[in-house]
Amino acid sequence: MNKNIAFSRLIRRATAALLLLGVLLLPKFLKAQEDLNEIYLKAYDLVKNNQTEESIKLLEEVMDVNGYFENVYAMFAFNYLLKGDLIQAGTYLKATEDLGETSIYPVFMSANLKVFEGKLGEAKALIERALQYKQLDSDIQDFNDAWDTFIRFDKKASDFQQLKSWLPTVKVSNLTYLSALQAYEKAQALAMEGKDKETLSAFNEALEGLNKLSPKGQNTAYKWQSEIGNNLFYSGSVEAGGQLIENAFRNTISNEAIGSYVKTLAAFYYTTYLEYVGNFSLNKQVIDQALPYSRRLLSLNLSGQLLMKKSSLLMAQGLDKENLAVGNQILELGINMKNDFFKAQGYNTIGSSYLVSTNPADRAKAKQNLEQANTIATTNGFIYLAESIQGNLAITYWQSGQRDKAVQTYQTLVNSLLSQGRQQDAIVNLNNVGSMFFFTKEYAKAIPYFEKAISISEEFRAQLDGQNRITYLQSQLSAYQFLTYCYARTNDGAGLFNSIDQQRARVLTERMTLRKKVDKTTLQKFQATLKSDEVALFYSLTEPGAVAINVVTKDKTYAVLKEFFKEFVELNQRYFDRLRRQDMERIGFRLPMNARVVGDRILIENDIANMFNQEDFELLVEFTRQVLQDDKPENAEIKTEFLNTFYKFLIEPVSNLIAGKRKLIISPDGILNFIPFEALVTNQGKFLIEDVGIRYMQSASVGGVINSRKYADNRKPMLAMGGAIYDEMSTQSDPIRSVARLQEMNFMAEDNVAQGLSQRKVYAALGFGKMNYLPGTLTEVLAMANTIPGADVYTGLEMDEAFLKQLSTEGKLANYKVLHLATHGFAISEIPQLSGIAMSILKDEKDGEDGYLTVPEISSLKLNADLVVLSACETGLGKIYGGEGVMGLTQSLILAGAKGAAVSLWAVNDASTMYFMAGMYELVEVSDMTYADAIDAMKRRFIKGDFGDAFKGTKYWAPFVHYGN
């Protein structure tokens, strides 16, 4: 066997597969490549001479450095077959059942095991299967070398002699596998370059080849998918890589046909992606699902890595007792594996678990374990781990009152990390210092460290493209949130303004300023745009149940922090925990306020904030949205209670600062984007819109760019379209009923966007085959012609996607002050690029257009509009990205050039929308109101009953919100 060629090929493939195993293990692995190759060759020579004990020792050296080579497991089996230990040989071959599924040597050695078991027919079948995977001509000689060894030492000699005579007669093609392997290696190379579309194409070729094998290479397919997704992720194509990784995990974890190692590997890659995007709760679920599969010999290293990830999540949640148990598991694993890295990490985890204790004995244990961890790490040259341990030791210095020494230790680490170009690690340590000051309520001292961490992350973020900038910002939000919290705690309004604007709608701002350079928005510049009766409110959800509010007027700015934990917990218990609490109270036990029933357990919290989490907050917001759309009289009291609760949370804390102002400019955060502030109920029982006017903006910087837009006064008044025709499409597609199918459609949608292709197949899969006609949209736009002189109105088949795009291309669309589109709208959070509105949908496509005007297509329109109205359902919804806000139609309209956008937050009523829009334009025409003021006025008219009692409810007027000027 040409072992140098074969083993170097394995090295290359293993390097690609191990790219995500981290800098903790990989340098040692890379440094030892040549040594491993030499040791492996020596072990091979020894086994051929029946020196099995010496060969096994050398193989154990290889395994100590890297345990992911299927050939090494096959070589172990070779040794144990010679020794006559079939059970141990089978154990090693069992370990390769998924890793070595399409690898020639494990399958070949499994055939030899069958010979020893007296199953010559099964052995021949396995040899024929192994020949499918032949990569080198010398592989055949390797077969004969192994058989000659068995024959020479009289191990089933006659059977192996028979196989030697039979092998030349066997004709098995290996071209299918070689073609699949070549496509896989091409996909890996493309993935490392971040070319996601080309990568996917090459990977699909590899899958086709694997599916043609007998048996199909299922394990290999998902292993390759995970590896390729991982390389895309690390090359900067975060979303594309993450989707591949997620798909691999979801299709393997509960699939009995997939081996334990592949399940563990897919889970490991997925946890790293989830860690990056900040989905900690799902991350822990994935780890817990994967750990039972990781106990196999082949997966022990991954088991340790998963336990380390779980430890990190538990620490972030403050679950120190659970983390202590995990630390002991890591230590036990390290001892059993004779692995110093896991030993050091186990001691580090145990020490870290004791750090937060107020018990002096526990803190002594923390120092003892951390010092032991540091000794092992520094002795073995585990530089990265030693740095982590030293950071934890710095905390022990802090706890013992040696604060200067603690800060100096961190500062030394930060300087060292920055000198090595390791900005991300430096950010972690800066955040740690800031956090120490933060949790001792020394907020002013914490601020410089968080600001430094953000400054470094901003430099890195500037190197990324748009979508990856969004994803990276989400991974760094904790520093921004801590900084925001610090400014709110120190009543620093100017600092809070800068902190919020620095993280809010950043990518949108950058995309808006690509073609036109706009000066950075400062507090002073923003204040200069405000009128004396206006006040801007910038919200930042610092944690579930708490909000920082930056109040900005023309000449002042304030910082307010509102913690509303008790009130939200009471509301939650009153409506959502009620049944569980009643069950307990039936048996005569009355739960205290600080108790929560979880399954069959009663949890008592000393800190009321711990009783309210993100899931609870999202539930309350979603329920509030539901009651806003429900106008049943019997639910009126509940609706008022919820709307008043959110008023007390969001408006009452700043009521004294906004007194006397007539207009609120609101910049919501996260899920608050989906609540219309206009509908909040004041303590006097009125809707907020009855007291003040309201409009919205994504951020101060976005507002600054919009304010810089100057359009000609001589534009046409309006382009209106409505009454579209919705035929049933001829395009058909299998419906989405699985995660895999959704993933497939997501990839197809991305590819279609990149190539400008039709999305009809994807929409058909989503169930958009036929939509109901909306007669009110026709009446609505026809009313425009009567209300607004000079309005251009297009109805029915004239509401044509190709025609609208042609107007844009010719520059004619930019010659309208208002663009009004009345039709169906849809927000698809799972595939955000498909959110959009329907133009006329014909049975077959017309002029190369599918009839769906999507977010990317709207963004590319050329508008000079003062206002764009999407008079449709849910056009204000979309996918929420931490820091960036709602990615959807509203942002696409602003990007296209609109100064203002009117969109809806839920499904709107056909008739009431007609009245609302027609009345809004009439007010602008006859009263010279701004569009924002006219929208406010229409809401007040609906509340008063000007359009009948049937339309007085929030369901009809509250969904419409105005973004921009």
Short mmCIF file of all heavy atoms in Angstrom, two decimals, residues 349-398:
data_model
loop_
_atom_site.label_atom_id
_atom_site.label_comp_id
_atom_site.label_asym_id
_atom_site.label_seq_id
_atom_site.Cartn_x
_atom_site.Cartn_y
_atom_site.Cartn_z
N THR A 349 -13.83 23.91 34.95
CA THR A 349 -15.29 24.00 35.06
C THR A 349 -15.75 23.88 36.51
O THR A 349 -16.62 24.62 36.97
CB THR A 349 -15.96 22.91 34.21
OG1 THR A 349 -15.52 23.04 32.85
CG2 THR A 349 -17.47 23.01 34.26
N ILE A 350 -15.13 22.95 37.23
CA ILE A 350 -15.47 22.79 38.65
C ILE A 350 -15.14 24.08 39.41
O ILE A 350 -15.96 24.58 40.20
CB ILE A 350 -14.72 21.59 39.25
CG1 ILE A 350 -15.22 20.29 38.62
CG2 ILE A 350 -14.89 21.54 40.77
CD1 ILE A 350 -14.35 19.08 38.93
N GLY A 351 -13.94 24.61 39.17
CA GLY A 351 -13.55 25.86 39.84
C GLY A 351 -14.48 27.00 39.49
O GLY A 351 -14.88 27.78 40.36
N SER A 352 -14.86 27.10 38.22
CA SER A 352 -15.76 28.17 37.78
C SER A 352 -17.12 28.06 38.45
O SER A 352 -17.77 29.07 38.75
CB SER A 352 -15.94 28.11 36.26
OG SER A 352 -14.70 28.23 35.61
N SER A 353 -17.57 26.82 38.70
CA SER A 353 -18.88 26.61 39.32
C SER A 353 -18.90 27.11 40.76
O SER A 353 -19.95 27.51 41.27
CB SER A 353 -19.24 25.12 39.29
OG SER A 353 -19.27 24.65 37.96
N TYR A 354 -17.76 27.07 41.41
CA TYR A 354 -17.68 27.55 42.79
C TYR A 354 -17.46 29.06 42.87
O TYR A 354 -17.59 29.66 43.95
CB TYR A 354 -16.53 26.85 43.52
CG TYR A 354 -16.80 25.42 43.91
CD1 TYR A 354 -15.97 24.39 43.48
CD2 TYR A 354 -17.89 25.10 44.72
CE1 TYR A 354 -16.20 23.07 43.84
CE2 TYR A 354 -18.13 23.78 45.09
CZ TYR A 354 -17.29 22.77 44.64
OH TYR A 354 -17.53 21.47 45.01
N LEU A 355 -17.12 29.69 41.75
CA LEU A 355 -16.75 31.11 41.78
C LEU A 355 -17.86 32.01 42.30
O LEU A 355 -17.60 33.01 42.97
CB LEU A 355 -16.36 31.58 40.36
CG LEU A 355 -14.93 31.34 39.91
CD1 LEU A 355 -14.74 31.82 38.49
CD2 LEU A 355 -13.95 32.03 40.83
N VAL A 356 -19.10 31.68 41.95
CA VAL A 356 -20.20 32.60 42.29
C VAL A 356 -20.71 32.40 43.71
O VAL A 356 -21.58 33.14 44.16
CB VAL A 356 -21.37 32.42 41.29
CG1 VAL A 356 -20.94 32.81 39.89
CG2 VAL A 356 -21.87 30.99 41.30
N SER A 357 -20.19 31.40 44.39
CA SER A 357 -20.66 31.14 45.75
C SER A 357 -20.19 32.24 46.70
O SER A 357 -19.11 32.80 46.56
CB SER A 357 -20.14 29.78 46.22
OG SER A 357 -20.48 29.56 47.57
N THR A 358 -21.02 32.50 47.70
CA THR A 358 -20.63 33.46 48.75
C THR A 358 -19.99 32.74 49.93
O THR A 358 -19.53 33.38 50.88
CB THR A 358 -21.86 34.24 49.24
OG1 THR A 358 -22.85 33.31 49.69
CG2 THR A 358 -22.44 35.08 48.10
N ASN A 359 -19.95 31.41 49.86
CA ASN A 359 -19.37 30.61 50.92
C ASN A 359 -17.84 30.61 50.80
O ASN A 359 -17.29 30.21 49.77
CB ASN A 359 -19.90 29.17 50.81
CG ASN A 359 -19.45 28.30 51.97
OD1 ASN A 359 -18.39 28.50 52.55
ND2 ASN A 359 -20.28 27.32 52.31
N PRO A 360 -17.12 31.04 51.83
CA PRO A 360 -15.65 31.09 51.76
C PRO A 360 -15.03 29.73 51.43
O PRO A 360 -14.03 29.66 50.72
CB PRO A 360 -15.24 31.56 53.16
CG PRO A 360 -16.44 32.30 53.67
CD PRO A 360 -17.62 31.60 53.10
N ALA A 361 -15.64 28.66 51.94
CA ALA A 361 -15.11 27.32 51.65
C ALA A 361 -15.22 27.00 50.17
O ALA A 361 -14.30 26.40 49.58
CB ALA A 361 -15.87 26.27 52.48
N ASP A 362 -16.34 27.38 49.55
CA ASP A 362 -16.52 27.15 48.11
C ASP A 362 -15.52 27.97 47.31
O ASP A 362 -14.96 27.49 46.31
CB ASP A 362 -17.94 27.51 47.69
CG ASP A 362 -18.95 26.46 48.13
OD1 ASP A 362 -18.53 25.35 48.48
OD2 ASP A 362 -20.16 26.77 48.13
N ARG A 363 -15.29 29.20 47.75
CA ARG A 363 -14.34 30.05 47.02
C ARG A 363 -12.92 29.49 47.14
O ARG A 363 -12.12 29.60 46.21
CB ARG A 363 -14.41 31.47 47.54
CG ARG A 363 -15.73 32.15 47.17
CD ARG A 363 -15.76 33.61 47.52
NE ARG A 363 -16.95 34.24 46.97
CZ ARG A 363 -17.22 35.54 47.07
NH1 ARG A 363 -16.37 36.34 47.71
NH2 ARG A 363 -18.31 36.04 46.54
N ALA A 364 -12.63 28.86 48.24
CA ALA A 364 -11.33 28.20 48.40
C ALA A 364 -11.23 27.02 47.43
O ALA A 364 -10.17 26.78 46.83
CB ALA A 364 -11.14 27.73 49.84
N LYS A 365 -12.34 26.29 47.27
CA LYS A 365 -12.37 25.19 46.31
C LYS A 365 -12.19 25.71 44.88
O LYS A 365 -11.55 25.06 44.04
CB LYS A 365 -13.69 24.42 46.41
CG LYS A 365 -13.86 23.62 47.68
CD LYS A 365 -15.22 22.95 47.71
CE LYS A 365 -15.45 22.21 49.02
NZ LYS A 365 -16.81 21.60 49.07
N ALA A 366 -12.78 26.88 44.62
CA ALA A 366 -12.63 27.48 43.29
C ALA A 366 -11.16 27.73 43.00
O ALA A 366 -10.64 27.35 41.94
CB ALA A 366 -13.43 28.78 43.20
N LYS A 367 -10.48 28.35 43.92
CA LYS A 367 -9.06 28.68 43.73
C LYS A 367 -8.23 27.40 43.59
O LYS A 367 -7.36 27.30 42.72
CB LYS A 367 -8.56 29.52 44.91
CG LYS A 367 -7.17 30.11 44.73
CD LYS A 367 -6.88 31.10 45.84
CE LYS A 367 -5.52 31.78 45.62
NZ LYS A 367 -4.39 30.86 45.80
N GLN A 368 -8.52 26.39 44.42
CA GLN A 368 -7.77 25.14 44.40
C GLN A 368 -7.91 24.44 43.04
O GLN A 368 -6.92 24.00 42.44
CB GLN A 368 -8.28 24.22 45.51
CG GLN A 368 -7.61 22.85 45.55
CD GLN A 368 -8.25 21.95 46.61
OE1 GLN A 368 -9.08 22.39 47.39
NE2 GLN A 368 -7.83 20.70 46.63
N ASN A 369 -9.14 24.33 42.55
CA ASN A 369 -9.38 23.66 41.27
C ASN A 369 -8.80 24.44 40.10
O ASN A 369 -8.25 23.86 39.15
CB ASN A 369 -10.87 23.43 41.06
CG ASN A 369 -11.39 22.22 41.81
OD1 ASN A 369 -11.27 21.08 41.35
ND2 ASN A 369 -11.98 22.46 42.97
N LEU A 370 -8.93 25.77 40.16
CA LEU A 370 -8.42 26.59 39.06
C LEU A 370 -6.90 26.54 39.01
O LEU A 370 -6.30 26.52 37.92
CB LEU A 370 -8.91 28.02 39.22
CG LEU A 370 -10.41 28.23 38.95
CD1 LEU A 370 -10.84 29.64 39.35
CD2 LEU A 370 -10.74 27.98 37.48
N GLU A 371 -6.25 26.53 40.15
CA GLU A 371 -4.80 26.43 40.16
C GLU A 371 -4.33 25.08 39.62
O GLU A 371 -3.34 24.99 38.90
CB GLU A 371 -4.27 26.66 41.57
CG GLU A 371 -4.35 28.12 42.01
CD GLU A 371 -3.92 28.34 43.45
OE1 GLU A 371 -3.87 27.34 44.22
OE2 GLU A 371 -3.64 29.50 43.82
N GLN A 372 -5.07 24.01 39.95
CA GLN A 372 -4.75 22.70 39.41
C GLN A 372 -4.94 22.68 37.89
O GLN A 372 -4.12 22.12 37.15
CB GLN A 372 -5.62 21.63 40.07
CG GLN A 372 -5.12 20.21 39.86
CD GLN A 372 -5.67 19.25 40.92
OE1 GLN A 372 -6.37 19.67 41.83
NE2 GLN A 372 -5.34 17.99 40.80
N ALA A 373 -6.03 23.30 37.45
CA ALA A 373 -6.28 23.38 36.01
C ALA A 373 -5.18 24.17 35.32
O ALA A 373 -4.69 23.78 34.24
CB ALA A 373 -7.64 24.06 35.77
N ASN A 374 -4.76 25.27 35.92
CA ASN A 374 -3.72 26.11 35.33
C ASN A 374 -2.39 25.37 35.22
O ASN A 374 -1.68 25.50 34.21
CB ASN A 374 -3.56 27.39 36.16
CG ASN A 374 -2.73 28.44 35.45
OD1 ASN A 374 -2.90 28.67 34.26
ND2 ASN A 374 -1.81 29.06 36.18
N THR A 375 -2.07 24.58 36.23
CA THR A 375 -0.82 23.80 36.20
C THR A 375 -0.82 22.81 35.03
O THR A 375 0.15 22.71 34.27
CB THR A 375 -0.65 23.03 37.53
OG1 THR A 375 -0.56 23.97 38.60
CG2 THR A 375 0.61 22.18 37.49
N ILE A 376 -1.93 22.08 34.86
CA ILE A 376 -2.02 21.10 33.77
C ILE A 376 -1.96 21.80 32.42
O ILE A 376 -1.26 21.37 31.49
CB ILE A 376 -3.32 20.27 33.88
CG1 ILE A 376 -3.31 19.46 35.18
CG2 ILE A 376 -3.47 19.35 32.68
CD1 ILE A 376 -4.63 18.74 35.45
N ALA A 377 -2.70 22.91 32.29
CA ALA A 377 -2.78 23.61 31.01
C ALA A 377 -1.43 24.19 30.60
O ALA A 377 -0.99 24.05 29.45
CB ALA A 377 -3.83 24.71 31.07
N THR A 378 -0.75 24.85 31.54
CA THR A 378 0.54 25.47 31.20
C THR A 378 1.61 24.42 30.96
O THR A 378 2.46 24.57 30.07
CB THR A 378 0.97 26.43 32.31
OG1 THR A 378 0.94 25.75 33.58
CG2 THR A 378 0.05 27.65 32.38
N THR A 379 1.59 23.31 31.72
CA THR A 379 2.56 22.23 31.55
C THR A 379 2.46 21.61 30.16
O THR A 379 3.46 21.28 29.53
CB THR A 379 2.37 21.14 32.62
OG1 THR A 379 2.54 21.71 33.91
CG2 THR A 379 3.36 20.01 32.42
N ASN A 380 1.21 21.47 29.66
CA ASN A 380 0.98 20.82 28.37
C ASN A 380 0.94 21.80 27.20
O ASN A 380 0.76 21.38 26.06
CB ASN A 380 -0.34 20.04 28.41
CG ASN A 380 -0.25 18.76 29.21
OD1 ASN A 380 0.15 17.73 28.68
ND2 ASN A 380 -0.61 18.83 30.49
N GLY A 381 1.10 23.08 27.49
CA GLY A 381 1.09 24.06 26.41
C GLY A 381 -0.28 24.33 25.84
O GLY A 381 -0.41 24.73 24.67
N PHE A 382 -1.34 24.13 26.64
CA PHE A 382 -2.69 24.45 26.20
C PHE A 382 -2.90 25.96 26.39
O PHE A 382 -3.54 26.41 27.35
CB PHE A 382 -3.73 23.67 27.00
CG PHE A 382 -3.60 22.17 26.91
CD1 PHE A 382 -3.82 21.37 28.02
CD2 PHE A 382 -3.26 21.57 25.71
CE1 PHE A 382 -3.72 20.00 27.94
CE2 PHE A 382 -3.15 20.18 25.62
CZ PHE A 382 -3.38 19.39 26.72
N ILE A 383 -2.36 26.74 25.48
CA ILE A 383 -2.31 28.20 25.64
C ILE A 383 -3.71 28.79 25.79
O ILE A 383 -3.98 29.60 26.68
CB ILE A 383 -1.58 28.83 24.46
CG1 ILE A 383 -0.13 28.34 24.43
CG2 ILE A 383 -1.63 30.36 24.56
CD1 ILE A 383 0.63 28.77 23.19
N TYR A 384 -4.60 28.39 24.91
CA TYR A 384 -5.94 28.99 24.91
C TYR A 384 -6.68 28.65 26.20
O TYR A 384 -7.35 29.50 26.79
CB TYR A 384 -6.73 28.49 23.69
CG TYR A 384 -6.18 28.96 22.38
CD1 TYR A 384 -5.18 28.24 21.74
CD2 TYR A 384 -6.64 30.13 21.79
CE1 TYR A 384 -4.66 28.67 20.53
CE2 TYR A 384 -6.14 30.58 20.59
CZ TYR A 384 -5.14 29.83 19.95
OH TYR A 384 -4.64 30.27 18.76
N LEU A 385 -6.59 27.41 26.60
CA LEU A 385 -7.26 27.01 27.83
C LEU A 385 -6.64 27.70 29.04
O LEU A 385 -7.35 28.14 29.95
CB LEU A 385 -7.18 25.48 27.99
CG LEU A 385 -7.84 24.89 29.24
CD1 LEU A 385 -9.30 25.33 29.35
CD2 LEU A 385 -7.73 23.38 29.23
N ALA A 386 -5.30 27.81 29.05
CA ALA A 386 -4.63 28.49 30.17
C ALA A 386 -5.11 29.93 30.29
O ALA A 386 -5.31 30.43 31.41
CB ALA A 386 -3.12 28.45 29.96
N GLU A 387 -5.34 30.58 29.15
CA GLU A 387 -5.83 31.96 29.19
C GLU A 387 -7.22 32.03 29.81
O GLU A 387 -7.52 32.93 30.59
CB GLU A 387 -5.84 32.54 27.77
CG GLU A 387 -4.44 32.78 27.22
CD GLU A 387 -4.44 33.05 25.74
OE1 GLU A 387 -5.46 32.78 25.07
OE2 GLU A 387 -3.40 33.51 25.23
N SER A 388 -8.06 31.05 29.46
CA SER A 388 -9.41 31.00 30.04
C SER A 388 -9.34 30.79 31.55
O SER A 388 -10.04 31.45 32.32
CB SER A 388 -10.21 29.88 29.39
OG SER A 388 -11.43 29.67 30.07
N ILE A 389 -8.47 29.88 31.95
CA ILE A 389 -8.32 29.58 33.38
C ILE A 389 -7.81 30.81 34.13
O ILE A 389 -8.29 31.15 35.21
CB ILE A 389 -7.36 28.39 33.57
CG1 ILE A 389 -7.96 27.12 32.98
CG2 ILE A 389 -7.04 28.18 35.06
CD1 ILE A 389 -6.97 25.99 32.81
N GLN A 390 -6.84 31.50 33.54
CA GLN A 390 -6.28 32.69 34.19
C GLN A 390 -7.33 33.78 34.32
O GLN A 390 -7.33 34.55 35.30
CB GLN A 390 -5.06 33.17 33.42
CG GLN A 390 -3.87 32.24 33.60
CD GLN A 390 -2.87 32.33 32.46
OE1 GLN A 390 -2.87 33.29 31.69
NE2 GLN A 390 -2.02 31.32 32.34
N GLY A 391 -8.24 33.85 33.34
CA GLY A 391 -9.34 34.79 33.46
C GLY A 391 -10.22 34.47 34.65
O GLY A 391 -10.66 35.36 35.38
N ASN A 392 -10.46 33.18 34.87
CA ASN A 392 -11.24 32.76 36.03
C ASN A 392 -10.48 33.02 37.34
O ASN A 392 -11.07 33.39 38.35
CB ASN A 392 -11.60 31.28 35.92
CG ASN A 392 -12.64 31.03 34.84
OD1 ASN A 392 -13.48 31.89 34.57
ND2 ASN A 392 -12.59 29.86 34.23
N LEU A 393 -9.17 32.81 37.31
CA LEU A 393 -8.36 33.11 38.49
C LEU A 393 -8.46 34.59 38.84
O LEU A 393 -8.44 34.97 40.02
CB LEU A 393 -6.90 32.71 38.26
CG LEU A 393 -6.56 31.23 38.51
CD1 LEU A 393 -5.14 30.94 38.03
CD2 LEU A 393 -6.71 30.88 39.98
N ALA A 394 -8.56 35.42 37.81
CA ALA A 394 -8.69 36.86 38.05
C ALA A 394 -9.94 37.16 38.87
O ALA A 394 -9.95 38.07 39.70
CB ALA A 394 -8.73 37.61 36.73
N ILE A 395 -10.97 36.34 38.65
CA ILE A 395 -12.20 36.54 39.43
C ILE A 395 -11.96 36.22 40.90
O ILE A 395 -12.50 36.88 41.80
CB ILE A 395 -13.34 35.69 38.84
CG1 ILE A 395 -13.64 36.13 37.41
CG2 ILE A 395 -14.59 35.79 39.70
CD1 ILE A 395 -14.67 35.27 36.70
N THR A 396 -11.14 35.19 41.15
CA THR A 396 -10.85 34.88 42.56
C THR A 396 -10.09 36.02 43.21
O THR A 396 -10.26 36.29 44.40
CB THR A 396 -10.05 33.57 42.68
OG1 THR A 396 -8.74 33.74 42.11
CG2 THR A 396 -10.75 32.42 41.98
N TYR A 397 -9.24 36.69 42.43
CA TYR A 397 -8.55 37.87 42.96
C TYR A 397 -9.58 38.95 43.31
O TYR A 397 -9.50 39.60 44.36
CB TYR A 397 -7.55 38.43 41.95
CG TYR A 397 -6.48 37.47 41.53
CD1 TYR A 397 -5.96 37.52 40.24
CD2 TYR A 397 -5.95 36.53 42.40
CE1 TYR A 397 -4.97 36.64 39.82
CE2 TYR A 397 -4.95 35.66 42.01
CZ TYR A 397 -4.47 35.71 40.71
OH TYR A 397 -3.49 34.84 40.32
N TRP A 398 -10.53 39.13 42.41
CA TRP A 398 -11.58 40.14 42.63
C TRP A 398 -12.36 39.81 43.90
O TRP A 398 -12.64 40.68 44.71
CB TRP A 398 -12.50 40.16 41.40
CG TRP A 398 -13.60 41.17 41.47
CD1 TRP A 398 -14.81 41.04 42.09
CD2 TRP A 398 -13.59 42.48 40.89
NE1 TRP A 398 -15.56 42.18 41.94
CE2 TRP A 398 -14.84 43.08 41.20
CE3 TRP A 398 -12.68 43.21 40.14
CZ2 TRP A 398 -15.18 44.36 40.77
CZ3 TRP A 398 -13.02 44.48 39.71
CH2 TRP A 398 -14.25 45.04 40.03
#
